Amino acid sequence: MIAVMGATGTGKTTFVNLASNSTMKVGMELHSCTDRVQVAQSFELDGRPVTLIDTPGFDDTTKSDFTILKMISDFLPKQYDEGTKLAGIIYIHRISDVRFTGMSAKNFRMFRELCGETTLKNVVIVTNRWGEVTEELGQAREAQLAGEFFKAVLEKGGRMLRNSNTLESAHDIVRAILKNQPAPLQIQTEMVDEKKDISQTAAGEELNRELQKLMKRHTIEMEELKTEMKEAARIKDEETRLELMNEARILQEQLDRVKGDTVQLRQEKEERERQIRQQQESMELRLQEQQQLFQQQMNREREEPYQQQLNREREANERQQREVQRLKEQQESYQQQLYREREESYQQQLKQEREANERQQREANEKAEIKQQAEALRKEREHALSRANWEDEVYWPFTSAGNWTTMQGMWRLTFPSI
């Protein structure tokens, strides 16, 4: 895709029609015909598809410079946003122009601001209408253009070619651009990548400066015309007064047009600022919503581990409580078992002590009984001994074989308990 630019009446549409075999309407002389950005029918050159874009000039006879800039800034950034980059730009200048006028200079300044310094290497400046000047005069003007007005572009890598108004010449110019590496224009990156409005772009700022200068110049010229009109009325020069009135009307129209462009630029800037504010407010609102969502997500993410931790701690506490309860029950069981064992041991000990006491009592009783028996035996023995002694001492003399029975009877009478 190649853009064709230049002042009104330089032959942009003619060149596009010739190169692409299109039939777009061509303006005549000073009246412009290109009132919008036009895309010519595509054609193939050296096996490559080519599409030429015809753009209106900034000195259009029917539209203001702001309107022209608006049309260009609506079309080119849209193409870039859709992924299309320009292979190059053709800037057409009439070699037949006697001077490089202020209007031409303004057009070229706007052209440079549209392109940007980095894209000037893809620019081809085409001079046409060589048939209207001699070769010597054309070469002199070409040298002057290359050395002064177009010097900055040529120093950046741009080229300057002639158009002889033939198909071969037009295609040679297009071939020179097909070798370029496609690159975005400055206005495309400003409006698409940097999100600027028209008034904030380099071209918009340049247009605003031009409008301010035009407004100041037109205001001065208007005051001069008013002074001349008063002088013509004083000397009753009706013809001069009418001419001045006509000039004043034209100048007023130009002044109104410049003011209109200025107002449109200001309105465009204000509208863009309003849109930016709305976008910022919308972005801030979305950012707040995202922050809230993020905070909620963070809270959930924090809450989930916290709840999990609480659950783990609760489960651990429950396990601990169960363990404590189990140990407590185990301790109680152990205490009960120990109590039973102690009770059984105590009862057994009591039983043993009771049995021991009983044994001791029995033994004591047996000992007492034995002692009593022994005492009784002793007493009986002593008694027996006493009786024996008595018998020996008292009754012995009577103890004879014949008196024995009598002696036993006497013994029983004397000791009946024995």
Side-chain angles (χ1 to χ4, degrees), residues 132-151:
E132 299 179 11
V133 296
T134 62
E135 181 67 21
E136 182 180 357
L137 180 59
Q139 288 181 354
R141 290 179 180 175
E142 185 180 46
Q144 184 183 15
L145 291 172
E148 296 179 16
F149 305 110
F150 300 144
K151 181 180 179 180

Side-chain angles (χ1 to χ4, degrees), residues 204-227:
E205 292 175 351
E206 177 63 28
L207 177 59
N208 188 53
R209 287 192 292 269
E210 290 293 335
L211 291 175
Q212 295 300 324
K213 289 191 291 184
L214 280 175
M215 189 180 298
K216 185 181 294 185
R217 188 175 74 242
H218 287 345
T219 301
I220 295 173
E221 291 177 355
M222 181 63 71
E223 292 298 324
E224 292 176 352
L225 283 175
K226 288 179 179 180
T227 302

Side-chain angles (χ1 to χ4, degrees), residues 311-326:
N311 293 334
R312 288 194 294 269
E313 291 179 356
R314 185 166 56 250
E315 291 174 357
N317 290 333
E318 291 175 353
R319 287 195 301 270
Q320 187 175 6
Q321 290 176 1
R322 288 195 298 269
E323 183 67 18
V324 169
Q325 183 67 23
R326 186 184 65 80

Side-chain angles (χ1 to χ4, degrees), residues 392-408:
D392 289 338
E393 291 177 2
V394 179
Y395 298 104
W396 181 255
F398 303 100
T399 58
S400 61
N403 298 323
W404 175 249
T405 304
T406 303
M407 184 184 65
Q408 285 180 339

